[in-house]
Amino acid sequence: MNFDKDIQDNTTIFGKILRGEIPAEKLYEDDYVLAFKDIMPKARVHVLVIPKKCIQDLRVAGPEDAEILGHMMCKISEIAKLAGLDKGGFRIISNNGEHSGQEVPHLHLHLLGGEFLPKF
Ligand code: AMP
């Protein structure tokens, strides 16, 4: 799969990061996903994992996204290891839509850890 057009069309701040127009502290990148440090960390370690395909959030994801979403989930263990989260563990959060407080309308997983997190 090639996501060059999605990356060009992505009007969000994450599109700018994908295109290299603004800097980000990247941890991992492949043809499908990019992982980078959150600019306003909500835990000692806070990484965002995003698909390169334009998917606003999980409300609009469908069977056609199975491959890229599966890839994202399967890469979490590798990204967590790169972030130093493999031993202590981590939490994944995904905000979807207005009620969740989603600010950036491009699907992303928050990967949080590096300390004991408040009980959810
Ligand atoms: P959400 O509220 O779930 O949409 O999360 C958006 C996240 O993107 C927030 O945690 C922000 O701190 C983060 N964020 C926004 N702009 C940037 C940026 N330029 N680099 C890294 N993270 C960002």
Side-chain angles (χ1 to χ4, degrees), residues 2-20:
N2 183 298
F3 298 110
D4 287 350
K5 181 155 183 357
D6 286 72
I7 292 169
Q8 288 315 314
D9 292 347
N10 191 325
T11 55
T12 73
I13 188 104
F14 294 167
K16 290 186 178 181
I17 289 174
L18 284 166
R19 291 190 294 276

Side-chain angles (χ1 to χ4, degrees), residues 59-80:
R59 294 174 301 170
V60 297
E64 67 280 11
D65 300 312
E67 188 179 350
I68 194 162
L69 295 182
H71 183 83
M72 265 175 89
M73 294 310 287
C74 291
K75 281 292 166 186
I76 292 294
S77 62
E78 193 176 335
I79 295 165

Side-chain angles (χ1 to χ4, degrees), residues 14 36-39 42 48 95 101-104 108 110:
F14 294 167
F36 53 97
K37 292 194 180 164
D38 196 292
I39 206 167
K42 280 86 181 175
L48 298 172
N95 292 319
Q102 181 182 9
E103 285 174 7
V104 180
H108 49 284
H110 296 262

